[in-house]
Structures are given as structure tokens and as C-alpha cells.
Amino acid sequence: QVQLVESGGGLVQPGGSLRLSCAASGNISRLNRVGWYRQPPGKQRESVATITQDGRATYSDSMKGRVTISRDNDKNMVYLQIDRVSAEDTAVYYCGWGSSAAISSDIADYHYWGQGTQVTVSS
């Protein structure tokens, strides 16, 4: 089993920034990929960014230039920086874990999920 815990969500002003964290523990392998996905109200879960163990990353076209994914393998932590937020960024943000070392943004390639952290953009 793999346990994932997201943190860093909350209420953000339009145009502001947010840094989300994902802590992984349990039966994890050193070669793994982690993805950030979000689910806006009334919509399906969608990819935001993913990153492999060696640092290769993917980003959604709609959020390119505003988000940065990074990881600290020594601490089993993955981060998502979101800049210039707008109301469209309001969603529950989830951290997902996959055992493969290959790069992928396909949600089917991620097998464990955290409970999510709520991000609300409002003035």
C-alpha cells in the first residue's frame, strides 16, 4: 500500500500564488512517477502536471506557464506551484502515485490517490 497526503490548499485571491505538497509513504519504490490532478466542481478529474523519479515532467496545455511541478526524492515529497490563479483554478487537487518509471499523464497509469486538498480562488 501507498499512502499520499496532500496539503497547502485553501482560499487564494485572484492573481495570487499557491504551493501544494504531496507526502508519499508506505510500500513505495524508488523508481516512481507522481501526478497532480484536479477536479473542478461538476467536472471530471483532469491532469495538471506529472513528474518521473528522474525529473521529467508533463503539463496540461491550459496551465502551462503558470504551474511548476518538482520533487524531493530524499523526502518523498512532490510539490506543485501555481501562479496567477483565477476562478477557473478552483478545484480539489489530488496527488497520484504510479510504480512505473515511464513518463505519462494518463490517469490510468496512477494507482494510488490521496484525499485531495481544496483550492478556492475568490476575492
Side-chain angles (χ1 to χ4, degrees):
Q1 288 292 118
V2 174
Q3 293 81 45
L4 303 170
V5 180
E6 303 95 337
S7 62
L11 182 64
V12 191
Q13 298 289 328
S17 297
L18 202 67
R19 186 174 178 85
L20 307 180
S21 299
C22 173
S25 62
N27 190 26
I28 58 175
S29 60
R30 190 170 187 273
L31 296 178
N32 68 284
R33 57 190 170 202
V34 178
W36 282 100
Y37 291 75
R38 70 179 184 181
Q39 188 163 16
K43 300 180 67 176
Q44 294 180 255
R45 193 172 300 186
E46 62 186 17
S47 175
V48 176
T50 70
I51 188 168
T52 63
Q53 191 274 337
D54 59 354
R56 291 170 292 154
T58 70
Y59 294 97
S60 68
D61 290 337
S62 63
M63 300 185 74
K64 277 185 176 179
R66 297 196 299 113
V67 298
T68 303
I69 189 170
S70 60
R71 65 188 296 167
D72 185 335
N73 291 329
D74 292 334
K75 298 180 179 179
N76 293 322
M77 296 286 291
V78 182
Y79 308 97
L80 183 72
Q81 177 75 27
I82 310 175
D83 298 320
R84 302 186 301 280
V85 300
S86 66
E88 288 73 28
D89 294 319
T90 295
V92 178
Y93 285 72
Y94 296 92
C95 178
W97 181 91
S99 60
S100 175
I103 190 169
S104 176
S105 60
D106 189 342
I107 194 171
D109 289 331
Y110 295 86
H111 313 118
Y112 296 92
W113 300 92
Q115 290 293 104
T117 183
Q118 176 71 50
V119 173
T120 302
V121 182
S122 177
S123 59

